[in-house]
Every structure is written in C-alpha cells, then in structure tokens.
Amino acid sequence: MEGELASTARAEDDTLWPATGGLQVGRSAAGGGSTYFAGALDEVRVYAGAVDPAGVERICQLSPDPDL
C-alpha cells in the first residue's frame, strides 16, 4: 500500500486464462458480467505474470521501465 510491501504469497499456476475476448477493466465476471465498477480508475497496468518485489519498487518510482 502506498509503495510499501503489504504482504507476500507464494503459488504456482502455469494455467493460462482461457479468455476468448478482450480485457475489460472494471467489469465483474459474476452474474454474467453485467456489473461494472462504479468509480474512477487511474494508471491501470497489466502484466503477463506476477511482478517480483524489485519490479514493484521500480513501478513505484513512476519512471518508464520497458523491461517489466
């Protein structure tokens, strides 16, 4: 939270999400996908996998990092 590590977890999952459509940010998959987030979203980022702690630190510095 606010640039500080809040918790950690370890897990393995090599299963790709079987999505057939485009990414929709702020839309719930529950209830047939008819519920949307009723607020504002700012600085949305999507990554191909989990970001390690060093990557999170670089992200929090708000400078472009093409290696993420």
Side-chain angles (χ1 to χ4, degrees):
M1 301 292 291
E2 300 297 329
E4 297 293 325
L5 179 63
S7 67
T8 62
R10 291 187 179 262
E12 290 187 26
D13 184 2
D14 60 358
T15 305
L16 295 176
W17 181 35
T20 58
L23 173 66
Q24 296 184 21
V25 177
R27 182 177 179 186
S28 173
S34 60
T35 305
Y36 294 86
F37 177 72
L41 299 172
D42 186 27
E43 297 187 32
V44 175
R45 298 177 186 199
V46 178
Y47 301 94
V51 179
D52 65 6
V56 172
E57 287 184 29
R58 289 195 308 266
I59 291 167
C60 290
Q61 293 172 1
L62 298 177
S63 59
D65 190 342
D67 295 328
L68 290 178

